[in-house]
Amino acid sequence: MPSVLIIGIGSVGSGISQAFHQSHTHDWKVTTIDPNVSETDAYVHVPVSATGPIDQADNHKHSHNHIQTSVEELSDAVFRELLMECDEIVYAAENGNRDAYTNDGTLSDANVVRFRSFITRVANHDMHIDQRNIKSQLGGYSPKHTHVSYVGGSWTRFEGLQTQTSRSAVVNDASIPKAKECCNAYETAKSVACVEAEK
């Protein structure tokens, strides 16, 4: 069973958790980490099919593990164990909404620091695994490197495009980011986070 680790299950992270649980191609084991969501509340985000049998919902619940803490507070041993077993990591742990970004000019930088720290911790784990595998000389073994997806950008930071099928401008995959002077604090922060995630 493939495994995904989701850091942060606010509005965005909970939707991602549901998408993994509803996957038609794999039965994913989902582990979520969020200090502001209890284990009981985390299971509320697990979809229950109205047409499926009760035990199907129970199986989904058993394939969902929630840790009520911040990723920064995880011990190295627990962090290492989570990374060893997961196939994907989704980082959706930015703090703040539109009002918070407007009221706190340092929030964007603080989120960038948190994300960089997380990526450094993941990279250090991968390097440790590589060194251990080289030392063990297990010929032919290729260590699994961790894949991290950053999720949390705002569609409002993009320019709307006029299309042939709509009367008003539409934001889609072809849209480009707005000029910095046209963005509010929230949109600017999301653009900064996007650049950081692409590094």
Side-chain angles (χ1 to χ4, degrees):
M1 172 184 295
S3 176
V4 61
L5 175 62
I6 303 173
I7 314 297
I9 54 168
S11 299
V12 173
S14 63
I16 293 167
S17 174
Q18 287 182 14
F20 275 99
H21 279 294
Q22 292 172 341
S23 170
H24 296 292
T25 57
H26 293 58
D27 188 15
W28 286 87
K29 176 184 177 188
V30 177
T31 300
T32 53
I33 299 175
D34 195 309
N36 301 312
V37 178
S38 70
E39 187 171 6
T40 303
D41 290 338
Y43 290 136
V44 168
H45 299 302
V46 177
V48 178
S49 171
T51 58
I54 296 297
D55 62 343
Q56 180 183 359
D58 289 342
N59 286 340
H60 278 308
K61 186 170 181 178
H62 292 303
S63 67
H64 189 117
N65 180 37
H66 179 69
I67 302 169
Q68 188 177 359
T69 189
S70 69
V71 71
E72 294 88 357
E73 292 173 343
L74 287 176
S75 70
D76 286 339
V78 171
F79 188 72
R80 190 177 306 119
E81 183 180 332
L82 289 170
L83 292 185
M84 292 285 286
E85 74 176 28
C86 75
D87 298 291
E88 291 286 331
I89 296 176
V90 178
Y91 186 91
E94 279 202 354
N95 287 329
N97 57 21
R98 290 178 186 275
D99 292 337
Y101 281 101
T102 300
N103 296 330
D104 183 354
T106 66
L107 190 54
S108 176
D109 290 340
N111 278 322
V112 167
V113 167
R114 285 182 65 233
F115 180 69
R116 282 183 186 167
S117 175
F118 174 74
I119 292 300
T120 299
R121 198 172 180 196
V122 170
N124 288 341
H125 166 78
D126 281 356
M127 188 170 64
H128 171 76
I129 296 300
D130 283 350
Q131 289 172 351
R132 194 174 67 195
N133 288 324
I134 289 167
K135 287 178 183 175
S136 66
Q137 297 180 354
L138 293 175
Y141 177 74
S142 175
K144 177 175 74 173
H145 290 279
T146 309
H147 181 259
V148 179
S149 297
Y150 167 82
V151 182
S154 171
W155 65 269
T156 64
R157 73 182 186 90
F158 291 99
E159 291 283 354
L161 301 172
Q162 195 67 42
T163 67
Q164 294 177 351
T165 58
S166 68
R167 294 183 184 182
S168 57
V170 173
V171 172
N172 59 29
D173 290 341
S175 300
I176 59 171
K178 293 177 185 174
K180 188 173 182 176
E181 58 272 10
C182 298
C183 292
N184 61 35
Y186 178 79
E187 294 164 348
T188 299
K190 294 301 181 177
S191 292
V192 167
C194 182
V195 170
E196 192 64 31
E198 291 172 348
K199 289 182 180 177

